[in-house]
Amino acid sequence: MKIKKVRIKDNLFNKMFVFIALSIIIPLALLGYLSYDRSKSQLETVTSQLLQDNIELNKKQVNRLLKDAEIESEKMVTSIQLQKLLQTNPPTSFEEEKVFINRISQLIAQLKGTYGVYVFPKQMKYYPNYLELINGNDFKPSTELMLKVFELKEKGIWYHYWDESSKKPVFAYIRAVRSSYYYEPLGVIVLKIPDSLVREELSFPSSFTNYNTMIVDQDNNIISDADSSLYHEKFVPEEDWNIAETQLNEQWKLITALPNKEVTGNIEQIKNFTLWIVVISIFIVSIYLVFIVRNFTLPIKSLVSHMEKVRIGVLKHFRMERSRKDEIGQLVGGFNQMITGMSELIEQTKKMESDKRNFELQTLNHQINPHFFYNTLDAIKWRAEKVDEKNIALMVTKLANLLRFSLNNNNEWTTIERELEHAKNYLDIEKLRSNRLFKVFVQVDPTILKFNVIKLILQPIVENCIKHGISNLPEGKGKILLTAKRIEQDIIFIIEDNGPGLTSNKLDKEKNSSHVHHGIGLKNVHKRLQIHFGTDYGIKVEEDHHQGFRVIIRHPVREEQ
């Protein structure tokens, strides 16, 4: 049955598109547009202003904390007693260092304010016991850091490090102590401000649960966060977060992040508006669903019922009450065409089954012929032995073995041991048939003899050696070397002779020939290997071999099954 073209007005897709557009697409598109238009500007304005106001407030509070630490350091570096103590010559004995430790401990106790304080003399190497005493603070300024502080003169350096004991970051202010008279550097003081103290200065809006403020360095590495485990992790802004940042000082930035989903909230106006749109849409969809069920669902349901009858074997065409030209009409037409095709296919299958049975009977009859051929060869062997023709008897025996190996119940697989024996049988027959003398050398790894290989891959190659190589040499000069070995997961066969070799023209002709040379040639063996194992395997002929003909066969390792 030929299906007619569907007119545009009868197209089922167009009908459904009109229903869906009127009932769902237009109302929902209008809802999305109005909701987005009314809420976008408001949310963006509120969010941006909130983040900016909060980050500026936090910036002031953190800067005030840092400024207090700098002011507190001023009191210590201007202490005359501390300057005099650091100006004294380094101790030369334990007793002198002990006196130094007592005096500086008293001074630190007097000068210490809100923050932890440590004093390091300029020449720290002369104060080993003092350094060991204060070594528990997990921070000791390096020589490079002290030199950098000495160059700043009136200012200090803010630094941060990880305190292993508290598992939290620590901020440190390092400033040089100088002589009031000569202004030479005498040492440094270090003020420690725990991260928890810094974060106490930060304020967070109570209405947001995931609001976060962090401090990062110049490389955007986190140095202060609510989650201390993120210390020194790279800060990467997320797409669905609102981000605001400001410069805290020359080294650090203050960043505020807030998820978008927390600022959208529930807008009552959008909620009521959406509710009305949904109610109207459902009402419209309900009306049009009646038409969809009557014009689309019912015909398909009838077709499905008819298909159930087909499933149990009743191959009849489907008949509709009225003709339709839309997709349902096309579907019924296609179904009826399928029924027609199935009926024709069943008839063809019956004919093929009949032909198959006839072929099997012929195959069974033909199986008698090899048996008769073996019996005939055996009779020839017996008559040859009777007249004392041992060469003929031996040739017939090897020919029977050669034939038995080639047939072998159509099994394509054999072992390396049997494949080598088959090639030797062929060579023995050639010696007896042509009455020519040539030498055969076999080198085989005994561990691979039981591995499986494709049958008849060696005999065609050694046949080429005889036909194109040994036959062109003087009597007794011919040599054939057959090597079999394993290299990793491959079996390598190498067959070579000392004949005149195979020229490039002959080789190209052999490989590209449309017929198979000597029944089973190089092309046949190469193609079978590649069909079984892919392009990595097959035959490789060394055309530039200096003498003779050399073929390398690559076959994957297949252990005995």
Side-chain angles (χ1 to χ4, degrees):
M1 179 184 292
K2 186 176 179 181
I3 301 176
K4 297 181 180 180
K5 292 185 178 180
V6 180
R7 292 181 298 175
I8 298 297
K9 66 178 182 179
D10 294 327
N11 189 285
L12 182 61
F13 173 80
N14 290 338
K15 294 178 181 179
M16 295 186 64
F17 178 80
V18 171
F19 289 137
I20 296 173
L22 293 176
S23 61
I24 298 176
I25 297 177
I26 295 178
L28 291 181
L30 181 62
L31 170 65
Y33 173 77
L34 294 176
S35 299
Y36 175 78
D37 185 63
R38 293 191 180 188
S39 60
K40 179 181 177 181
S41 59
Q42 179 183 0
L43 292 176
E44 288 181 350
T45 302
V46 171
T47 302
S48 177
Q49 190 63 42
L50 172 68
L51 293 178
Q52 197 60 40
D53 292 346
N54 184 260
I55 201 171
E56 290 298 329
L57 175 62
N58 288 334
K59 176 182 178 180
K60 290 180 181 179
Q61 296 183 173
V62 173
N63 278 335
R64 179 183 55 78
L65 178 67
L66 302 181
K67 187 66 176 179
D68 290 345
E70 294 176 4
I71 294 173
E72 187 171 313
S73 68
E74 186 73 25
K75 173 184 175 182
M76 301 188 66
V77 299
T78 56
S79 172
I80 301 299
Q81 293 179 335
L82 181 60
Q83 294 176 13
K84 288 182 178 180
L85 182 59
L86 295 178
Q87 280 179 329
T88 58
N89 294 327
T92 58
S93 64
F94 175 74
E95 293 298 329
E96 291 182 2
E97 187 178 2
K98 184 177 179 182
V99 173
F100 172 82
I101 292 173
N102 291 332
R103 292 183 60 189
I104 200 167
S105 298
Q106 293 175 1
L107 276 176
I108 291 175
Q110 294 174 4
L111 299 174
K112 181 179 179 181
T114 308
Y115 315 107
V117 179
Y118 296 94
V119 178
F120 295 91
K122 182 179 180 181
Q123 297 178 325
M124 291 189 296
K125 61 181 180 178
Y126 295 107
Y127 302 86
N129 295 293
Y130 173 64
L131 293 179
E132 183 178 357
L133 180 64
I134 63 175
N135 195 34
N137 63 75
D138 289 335
F139 174 75
K140 181 172 66 177
S142 61
T143 303
E144 292 79 9
L145 187 57
M146 292 183 67
L147 292 175
K148 187 175 180 180
V149 172
F150 291 156
E151 292 175 358
L152 293 177
K153 297 182 180 179
E154 296 293 337
K155 295 182 179 180
I157 295 177
W158 279 103
Y159 188 81
H160 63 88
Y161 65 94
W162 179 258
D163 185 7
E164 192 61 34
S165 60
S166 63
K167 301 296 182 181
K168 291 183 179 295
V170 175
F171 297 93
Y173 184 66
I174 309 170
R175 185 171 178 178
V177 180
R178 299 178 179 275
S179 170
S180 300
Y181 301 101
Y182 304 103
Y183 208 63
E184 61 175 344
L186 305 175
V188 296
I189 62 168
V190 178
L191 273 69
K192 289 178 53 178
I193 304 178
D195 179 62
S196 58
L197 194 60
V198 175
R199 299 201 67 82
E200 286 179 0
E201 298 295 327
L202 301 177
S203 61
F204 303 92
S206 58
S207 56
F208 301 123
T209 57
N210 294 315
Y211 191 95
N212 189 25
T213 301
M214 66 194 74
I215 302 175
V216 300
D217 59 14
Q218 295 174 337
D219 299 324
N220 265 13
N221 294 320
I222 298 174
I223 60 177
S224 176
D225 191 274
D227 185 1
S228 299
S229 62
L230 297 178
Y231 176 74
H232 231 269
E233 293 285 336
K234 197 78 172 181
F235 171 69
V236 179
E238 298 185 23
E239 294 183 0
D240 57 344
W241 284 60
N242 286 303
I243 307 296
E245 62 179 50
T246 184
Q247 199 69 30
L248 197 59
N249 53 31
E250 296 178 356
Q251 300 169 290
W252 303 333
K253 290 189 299 184
L254 193 65
I255 296 178
T256 296
L258 180 65
N260 287 331
K261 61 183 180 180
E262 291 205 20
V263 301
T264 55
N266 295 322
I267 303 176
E268 190 66 24
Q269 185 178 5
I270 295 179
K271 178 181 177 181
N272 295 333
F273 187 78
T274 303
L275 179 61
W276 279 106
I277 292 295
V278 170
V279 171
I280 295 173
S281 298
I282 292 175
F283 178 75
I284 296 175
V285 169
S286 299
I287 294 176
Y288 286 109
L289 277 177
V290 176
F291 296 96
I292 293 175
V293 171
R294 290 181 59 85
N295 291 277
F296 178 73
T297 308
L298 293 180
I300 292 179
K301 184 177 180 181
S302 300
L303 181 60
V304 170
S305 299
H306 186 80
M307 291 173 64
E308 287 294 325
K309 297 179 181 179
V310 173
R311 187 177 63 85
I312 61 177
V314 181
L315 298 181
K316 292 184 178 180
H317 289 157
F318 178 74
R319 304 294 180 186
M320 290 192 299
E321 296 180 358
R322 59 186 180 89
S323 177
R324 299 185 61 153
K325 298 180 181 181
D326 55 15
E327 280 81 354
I328 292 181
Q330 287 187 340
L331 179 63
V332 172
F335 175 78
N336 291 334
Q337 285 184 344
M338 182 187 69
I339 295 299
T340 302
M342 289 175 63
S343 300
E344 295 175 354
L345 183 61
I346 290 174
E347 294 299 325
Q348 292 178 2
T349 303
K350 289 179 180 179
K351 186 176 182 302
M352 290 175 62
E353 287 294 329
S354 178
D355 294 341
K356 180 180 178 183
R357 284 194 296 270
N358 294 333
F359 178 74
E360 289 176 349
L361 290 174
Q362 293 176 7
T363 302
L364 292 174
N365 292 330
H366 290 165
Q367 287 179 352
I368 300 174
N369 295 333
H371 180 71
F372 171 76
F373 187 61
Y374 289 139
N375 290 339
T376 304
L377 289 177
D378 187 61
I380 296 172
K381 172 189 172 186
W382 177 77
R383 294 297 297 271
E385 289 178 345
K386 186 174 181 180
V387 296
D388 201 23
E389 287 291 342
K390 296 182 178 180
N391 286 341
I392 296 177
L394 181 60
M395 183 183 296
V396 170
T397 301
K398 291 185 176 294
L399 180 59
N401 292 335
L402 210 65
L403 180 62
R404 184 181 297 108
F405 180 84
S406 300
L407 295 176
N408 195 20
N409 296 329
N410 294 325
N411 186 9
E412 194 176 2
W413 292 90
T414 185
T415 63
I416 294 177
E417 182 178 18
R418 292 175 183 170
E419 182 68 16
L420 290 170
E421 186 65 28
H422 178 66
K424 292 178 183 177
N425 282 336
Y426 171 77
L427 292 171
D428 290 342
I429 292 174
E430 282 293 330
K431 288 181 180 179
L432 295 171
R433 183 183 67 82
S434 61
N435 200 23
R436 294 179 60 85
L437 294 178
F438 56 88
K439 297 180 181 180
V440 179
F441 303 93
V442 180
Q443 297 177 349
V444 182
D445 182 357
T447 61
I448 67 173
L449 289 176
K450 299 301 181 181
F451 287 174
N452 287 341
V453 292
I454 295 178
K455 190 167 61 177
L456 293 175
I457 61 175
L458 298 182
Q459 184 271 331
I461 311 303
V462 298
E463 181 179 350
N464 279 332
C465 293
I466 298 294
K467 301 296 183 183
H468 303 289
I470 303 302
S471 62
N472 297 319
L473 294 177
E475 179 70 24
K477 297 296 184 179
K479 297 179 182 179
I480 296 178
L481 175 59
L482 176 57
T483 305
K485 57 185 177 179
R486 175 176 179 173
I487 299 179
E488 295 180 352
Q489 294 302 313
D490 293 336
I491 300 296
I492 305 298
F493 298 98
I494 303 175
I495 304 97
E496 51 188 323
D497 62 61
N498 63 340
L502 186 63
T503 63
S504 297
N505 292 334
K506 290 182 178 179
L507 178 63
D508 293 338
K509 184 177 180 181
E510 173 71 20
K511 284 187 175 181
N512 300 323
S513 176
S514 60
H515 67 277
V516 179
H517 187 64
H518 297 303
I520 302 176
L522 293 174
K523 179 180 177 182
N524 181 281
V525 176
H526 181 72
K527 187 173 181 180
R528 284 197 296 130
L529 287 170
Q530 292 208 331
I531 289 175
H532 275 280
F533 310 116
T535 56
D536 292 336
Y537 298 94
I539 290 179
K540 177 183 178 184
V541 179
E542 293 193 353
E543 301 180 47
D544 299 331
H545 196 52
H546 65 281
Q547 182 182 2
F549 182 63
R550 185 176 187 181
V551 176
I552 300 175
I553 302 175
R554 183 177 294 274
H555 188 292
V557 171
R558 305 271 296 191
E559 296 185 0
E560 183 179 12
Q561 296 178 351

